[in-house]
Amino acid sequence: VLALRTNCRQEGGQDSAGRAGRRPVEEDRNVATPRDYYFALAHTVRDHLVGRWIRTQQYYYEKDPKRIYYLSLEFYMGRTLQNTMINLGLQNACDEAIYQLGLDMEELEEIEEDAGLGNGGLGRLAACFLDSMATLGLAAYGYGIRYEYGIFNQKIRDGWQVEEADDWLRHGNPWEKARPEYMLPVHFYGRVEHAATGIKWVDTQVVLALPYDTPVPGYMNNTVNTMRLWSARAPNDFNLRDFNVGDYIQAVLDRNLAENISRVLYPNDNFFEGKELRLKQEYFVVAATLQDIIRRFKASKFGSTESVRTVFDSFPDQVAIQLNDTHPAMAIPELMRIFVDIEKLPWNKAWDITKRTFAYTNHTVLPEALERWPVDLVEKLLPRHLQIIYEINQRHLDHIAFLFPNDVDRLRRMSLIEEGGTKRINMAHLCIVGSHAVNGVAKIHSEIVKTQVFEDFAALEPEKFQNKTNGITPRRWLLLCNPGLAELIAEKIGEDYVRDLSQLTKLHKFVDDDLFIREVAKVKQENKVKFAQYLEKEYKVKINPSSMFDVHVKRIHEYKRQLMNCLHIVTMYNRKPPRTPRGQAAPGYHMAKMIIKLINAVAHVVNNDPVVGSKLKVIFLENYRVSLAEKVIPATDLSEQISTAGTEASGTGNMKFMLNGALTIGTMDGANVEMAEEAGEENLFIFGMRVEDVTELDKEGYHAQEYYNRLPELKQAIDQIRSGFFSPKEPDLFKDVVNMLFHHDRFKVFADYEAYVKCQEKVSELYLNSKAWTKMVIRNIAAAGKFSSDRTIKEYARDIWHVEPSDLKIPPPNEPRDHVHCKIVSAV
């Protein structure tokens, strides 16, 4: 309490420009605001982190373990305060202190901005992985970009999506530490010079990369790892040539061109946009990161900058770099450039080291999502890297030609350079050729990667291709967001399950325990009441907490089939009064915005129909983000995972819902397949086409009109949308949506509509039997153990990075230990 009282006048950290200092406090203000108290609490908790952070880094330098570097353009971290309190075991003490001060802990936690530096699943997976790597005692680092503006704030105005900038740093960020002493230069443009001493990249434009470090605490083991995010800064002499001819003002303004690199996160999920600024971001993060990795590899003493290692033979034994999708793929030619041009290694040796260092995770099979950079753009921005990519490709194709003489078609399919029209570099091919391991993120996805998307590469090197089914951290996605359920589980099976989620199988013996069934149902009901209150406050819609909360939270994309869900809502509305009361929630290119508008238009009609009353409500959850997920997931009864089979790589939302006691309605796609394996298909609501059915339908030809003609309820719903029933002022508003469904629907909504509606009827029937429903819930929770990110990271560690997780508990800062050098106060 004393620390909080003291700190509440000293909050600050850094502003968005990285300047350390305090936020202004009015002199005549006698009462601290809730924000003051949030910063006070954050600084108090941070103080407990720092000693452990320094000691962890010191331990790594003494033991010199193999280091894991997770490169990702996205880290969707969400809020830090509560997660840190849980992982350090401080939550009860902090709750007590806040209570004694007469404050509301939940109110303080709501003040923290989400660190929304990601679009969705890929970025949130990276965040869960950092938590697991620290919990498992791995010497791991997350590297990315410190976007000044994260994923946009979504507002819904008159049913339409409107984007607002996410100025998440406007109040400062107490969890990060600027490290200007580790600022590094990154080069762009220029030309390549062939000199007697070797190849040089000259006349470049330099941008500085300023690192900001955020501590990442493991769960109750005193390990604190580092996430290092780079911010772009213009050098002082940036464009000052212009000053010499009198345009000083323009020269200073032009600094923004350099600093724009880390200004904003591209809000594209599963869609490749070949913009120059995006390629700059991708190269910026890998160029800065690889310099940092090599500096750390060369130095061996804690806090030392002396180069001790000068030979790179042991590099893959000391360094593992995981590429999170193709976004950091330029790391492969960049490491080759460093080895060949700067360190003067022969090509073959440099290539062998590079391949043994990198591993690549593929996250999508959608063709529009695969990165293909135009050769002209790469040549302008990174001329030396293009030469290196050409050299890699030539040697790769020579090898293929040797193995498969006269197979020109195979050479074309496997080339890193795609000819025809605009010449492009296929970044996935570069990642596969330049890595020793390639993995998909669920069994079914990894199989599709091997047998369809990269079939030629898998045939050539089958041992390279692996599966690593995604997972979620149980610390955030159970302890933090659903403490009632977490406590109930701990009472039955002990607390060790938090570190070893496979222990949830012990819950199977309580499936028929009437008291446990009632307790699980009670926790769910409490979560629903709380969420219903939130919805009433935020959306002014009153929903019945006894109704089924049927939730579809995803990025809006045609393959996730929010449209099919919408058609089911219309069908239920047309059957009024519906048989079962249900509440529906969903989150948020042209079609995506039209889908959002349609859902909101249907919601307006349904929610204002006096005949339907409170029996059916449709709510579009605005600005879905990590902190909102933490509220909605524990309150959910039914989780919608209804992508077309073969399109969702894995999904992690499905795992979060399962762990928090929601039942799944879904297709056999992504990780749903393994969830059905673990829990038994009879404990999920599985419907619709399988992958082989979709393939067969593609061969036969998908004709949407046939389903429309055959299914009266589908016809009625489509006719209502087409005629303007849901948009009376603009009858033609949704004609593009209807046209797409009939003529351009790659994801075959109509083909699965009938099975989906029938499956929803089964859901409604079971929901009326509370006891049977809750027993199925318990079976799902008991089967969720596989989907911990701890399990995923153990598999990466053993199969790809060749390191062993450690259960060693580093002594906390208040306990002495051998070989502690007290003068060291820097964590690198």
Side-chain angles (χ1 to χ4, degrees):
V1 178
L2 181 61
L4 283 169
R5 288 190 189 283
T6 308
N7 270 341
C8 75
R9 285 296 185 185
Q10 299 177 354
E11 80 294 334
Q14 286 100 19
D15 64 12
S16 59
R19 295 177 289 269
R22 297 177 186 170
R23 297 190 300 109
V25 177
E26 296 170 28
E27 289 301 321
D28 60 346
R29 197 175 74 201
N30 294 319
V31 181
T33 66
R35 188 174 301 283
D36 293 328
Y37 277 108
Y38 159 71
F39 271 93
L41 178 57
H43 283 114
T44 304
V45 173
R46 189 184 66 180
D47 290 345
H48 285 263
L49 264 178
V50 171
R52 290 168 171 82
W53 195 10
I54 292 169
R55 188 166 271 197
T56 301
Q57 303 308 315
Q58 178 181 338
Y59 176 81
Y60 292 160
Y61 271 83
E62 285 177 2
K63 299 297 179 188
D64 200 23
K66 184 172 186 177
R67 287 171 165 83
I68 315 304
Y69 297 101
Y70 197 81
L71 267 64
S72 180
L73 268 283
E74 299 182 24
F75 285 96
Y76 206 168
M77 302 301 286
R79 292 171 175 161
T80 297
L81 173 62
Q82 193 182 357
N83 191 70
T84 303
M85 292 190 297
I86 286 169
N87 280 13
L88 294 187
L90 293 174
Q91 188 157 36
N92 290 342
C94 290
D95 284 346
E96 179 61 27
I98 293 299
Y99 175 75
Q100 284 189 32
L101 286 169
L103 298 167
D104 183 328
M105 178 63 95
E106 280 193 28
E107 185 187 347
L108 296 190
E109 287 166 353
E110 284 297 315
I111 288 166
E112 183 176 354
E113 301 282 345
D114 276 53
L117 308 185
N119 280 291
L122 177 141
R124 185 53 234 172
L125 183 79
C128 284
F129 278 4
L130 291 185
D131 180 272
S132 284
M133 289 189 278
T135 298
L136 293 168
L138 296 174
Y141 303 77
Y143 274 96
I145 294 179
R146 179 183 180 266
Y147 301 104
E148 202 172 312
Y149 296 92
I151 185 66
F152 61 84
N153 285 324
Q154 179 199 53
K155 300 289 180 194
I156 301 297
R157 304 258 162 80
D158 191 28
W160 293 100
Q161 171 174 293
V162 177
E163 299 88 5
E164 291 182 356
D166 168 33
D167 191 7
W168 72 289
L169 291 167
R170 66 189 177 277
H171 297 295
N173 175 8
W175 303 105
E176 66 180 14
K177 174 81 176 77
R179 307 304 301 273
E181 67 273 29
Y182 291 107
M183 191 140 62
L184 293 166
V186 175
H187 298 262
F188 293 100
Y189 305 109
R191 59 190 175 83
V192 180
E193 207 172 66
H194 294 262
T197 52
I199 295 172
K200 288 184 180 170
W201 183 20
V202 297
D203 296 340
T204 57
Q205 186 183 103
V206 175
V207 175
L208 298 177
L210 170 64
Y212 283 79
D213 286 357
T214 300
V216 179
Y219 179 68
M220 303 291 279
N221 65 350
N222 296 326
T223 295
V224 181
N225 284 340
T226 303
M227 176 176 68
R228 178 163 283 184
L229 302 180
W230 302 101
S231 183
R233 295 286 186 272
N236 277 337
D237 60 352
F238 184 83
N239 264 355
L240 283 185
R241 289 186 299 270
D242 295 349
F243 178 43
N244 297 332
V245 293
D247 202 350
Y248 164 69
I249 298 292
Q250 192 56 49
V252 173
L253 293 180
D254 282 352
R255 292 171 64 92
N256 275 342
L257 297 176
E259 295 180 358
N260 278 343
I261 290 172
S262 59
R263 192 80 69 206
V264 64
L265 168 75
Y266 273 88
N268 290 330
D269 190 65
N270 282 310
F271 183 74
F272 170 61
E273 194 173 3
K275 296 282 179 70
E276 182 172 339
L277 180 59
R278 175 65 172 181
L279 183 56
K280 274 187 175 175
Q281 288 181 338
E282 293 185 356
Y283 178 66
F284 173 75
V285 71
V286 303
T289 298
L290 285 175
Q291 289 178 74
D292 219 31
I293 289 171
I294 286 170
R295 171 190 61 77
R296 206 178 277 119
F297 168 76
K298 286 182 171 181
S300 72
K301 293 186 187 126
F302 184 61
S304 161
T305 52
E306 297 168 35
S307 289
V308 176
R309 289 193 190 98
T310 52
V311 179
F312 284 92
D313 297 49
S314 66
F315 194 76
D317 302 320
Q318 291 297 124
V319 173
I321 303 176
Q322 190 70 36
L323 304 174
N324 193 25
D325 219 344
T326 54
H327 311 141
M330 290 307 294
I332 292 169
E334 171 66 3
L335 189 58
M336 284 298 290
R337 184 186 72 82
I338 293 167
F339 283 159
V340 174
D341 294 1
I342 298 170
E343 301 293 344
K344 306 299 181 188
L345 268 60
W347 180 279
N348 286 344
K349 184 173 186 178
W351 183 241
D352 176 62
I353 294 169
T354 297
K355 273 186 78 164
R356 286 164 54 210
T357 300
F358 284 108
Y360 158 56
T361 300
N362 173 276
H363 280 277
T364 182
V365 298
L366 296 178
E368 67 267 31
L370 296 174
E371 290 193 301
R372 297 173 167 92
W373 285 105
V375 163
D376 292 349
L377 177 58
V378 177
E379 185 170 36
K380 179 176 84 161
L381 198 67
L382 303 165
R384 177 59 181 139
H385 296 76
L386 182 64
Q387 291 180 351
I388 289 168
I389 290 167
Y390 274 148
E391 179 74 13
I392 292 168
N393 194 41
Q394 188 58 57
R395 289 168 184 252
H396 162 63
L397 292 180
D398 289 347
H399 179 56
I400 304 301
F402 173 74
L403 294 174
F404 303 95
N406 305 318
D407 193 342
V408 178
D409 202 43
R410 186 182 296 267
L411 289 175
R412 180 187 55 74
R413 291 197 308 267
M414 295 185 74
S415 175
L416 307 191
I417 311 296
E418 295 181 352
E419 308 284 348
T422 306
K423 274 172 79 170
R424 294 176 185 275
I425 302 166
N426 186 313
M427 302 308 277
H429 289 185
L430 173 62
C431 286
I432 293 168
V433 171
S435 298
H436 70 275
V438 177
N439 72 281
V441 290
K443 268 189 200 166
I444 188 171
H445 168 239
S446 297
E447 201 52 38
I448 290 168
V449 163
K450 273 199 297 194
T451 57
Q452 295 175 34
V453 189
F454 304 123
E455 183 183 4
D456 293 316
F457 292 93
L460 188 68
E461 299 178 283
E463 71 290 344
K464 184 183 275 194
F465 287 78
Q466 305 186 14
N467 173 56
K468 296 286 170 277
T469 299
N470 282 344
I472 57 172
T473 168
R475 272 71 65 182
R476 185 177 292 268
W477 297 113
L478 187 58
L479 261 67
L480 184 154
C481 72
N482 202 344
L485 182 60
E487 207 172 303
L488 190 55
I489 294 169
E491 283 171 16
K492 292 293 180 191
I493 65 170
E495 293 181 356
D496 289 351
Y497 77 90
V498 180
R499 284 170 162 283
D500 176 14
L501 207 62
S502 67
Q503 291 189 25
L504 288 179
T505 55
K506 294 176 184 174
L507 290 176
H508 279 300
K509 63 181 177 225
F510 300 105
V511 168
D512 296 311
D513 181 325
D514 285 349
L515 177 61
F516 188 60
I517 291 167
R518 283 198 300 275
E519 286 173 329
V520 168
K522 181 168 176 259
V523 166
K524 177 63 74 177
Q525 193 58 26
E526 285 167 356
N527 291 336
K528 289 171 70 173
V529 167
K530 189 175 177 184
F531 189 61
Q533 289 166 349
Y534 170 83
L535 290 177
E536 191 172 353
K537 178 170 164 254
E538 294 295 321
Y539 294 88
K540 310 296 181 269
V541 177
K542 200 173 175 67
I543 65 172
N544 179 358
S546 300
S547 64
M548 184 197 301
F549 286 17
D550 175 349
V551 175
H552 194 174
V553 284
K554 301 271 174 199
R555 296 278 293 172
I556 299 290
H557 194 295
E558 287 163 62
Y559 87 86
K560 293 180 186 289
R561 300 203 291 192
Q562 284 92 352
L563 278 172
M564 189 160 74
N565 193 342
C566 192
L567 288 173
H568 174 244
I569 293 167
V570 175
T571 301
M572 279 205 299
Y573 172 73
N574 290 334
R575 289 176 177 181
K576 55 190 169 189
R579 293 184 218 167
T580 313
R582 304 164 70 107
Q584 179 88 22
Y589 62 91
H590 170 69
M591 190 51 62
K593 288 201 171 183
M594 290 309 303
I595 292 168
I596 291 170
K597 175 64 175 172
L598 175 60
I599 293 166
N600 280 297
V602 169
H604 180 74
V605 171
V606 171
N607 294 347
N608 291 291
D609 189 306
V611 177
V612 171
S614 65
K615 296 217 169 92
L616 179 66
K617 294 289 182 190
V618 183
I619 301 171
F620 185 95
L621 289 181
E622 181 180 84
N623 201 33
Y624 188 67
R625 57 204 182 280
V626 175
S627 57
L628 182 50
E630 290 163 7
K631 292 180 176 68
V632 67
I633 288 170
T636 298
D637 291 306
L638 186 70
S639 156
E640 301 265 354
Q641 308 295 332
I642 59 177
S643 52
T644 314
T647 59
E648 183 72 86
S650 169
T652 51
N654 46 4
M655 302 168 186
K656 290 161 196 162
F657 284 111
M658 183 188 200
L659 183 60
N660 281 276
L663 299 184
T664 300
I665 182 167
T667 51
M668 275 299 205
D669 196 25
N672 293 358
V673 176
E674 286 155 88
M675 285 162 55
E677 269 176 27
E678 295 295 305
E681 202 173 312
E682 69 281 5
N683 289 307
L684 279 76
F685 298 101
I686 298 293
F687 72 92
M689 297 180 289
R690 313 280 166 129
V691 169
E692 54 274 19
D693 301 323
V694 175
T695 308
E696 193 57 39
L697 188 54
D698 280 330
K699 281 185 197 158
E700 292 170 10
Y702 167 64
H703 304 292
Q705 187 76 35
E706 291 173 9
Y707 299 92
Y708 171 82
N709 293 338
R710 182 166 63 78
L711 302 169
E713 288 189 316
L714 174 62
K715 182 178 188 301
Q716 182 186 7
I718 291 295
D719 289 349
Q720 284 170 311
I721 293 167
R722 180 160 40 196
S723 68
F725 180 84
F726 297 105
S727 53
K729 291 181 182 170
E730 295 177 79
D732 290 339
L733 183 60
F734 300 117
K735 70 175 191 303
D736 286 356
V737 176
V738 173
N739 183 54
M740 183 277 291
L741 285 169
F742 275 104
H743 305 294
H744 311 288
D745 180 12
R746 291 184 294 151
F747 305 109
K748 306 173 180 63
V749 167
F750 289 3
D752 271 344
Y753 164 85
E754 186 178 19
Y756 178 54
V757 171
K758 281 184 177 157
C759 194
Q760 285 279 15
E761 288 168 9
K762 277 201 264 176
V763 172
S764 298
E765 192 181 332
L766 185 69
Y767 188 72
L768 292 174
N769 183 339
S770 175
K771 185 174 179 181
W773 178 278
T774 308
K775 285 171 79 163
M776 196 183 280
V777 163
I778 294 166
R779 287 189 202 104
N780 271 267
I781 297 169
K786 175 180 180 176
F787 304 107
S788 168
S789 50
D790 297 350
R791 186 267 316 151
T792 314
I793 288 299
K794 280 177 187 167
E795 290 180 9
Y796 274 99
R798 287 167 184 164
D799 303 342
I800 295 178
W801 306 329
H802 308 302
V803 293
E804 275 297 318
S806 163
D807 56 5
L808 176 86
K809 191 170 180 178
I810 295 172
N814 57 328
E815 287 180 20
R817 59 179 286 264
D818 298 336
H819 315 301
V820 174
H821 305 290
C822 298
K823 62 185 179 185
I824 293 163
V825 291
S826 172
V828 295

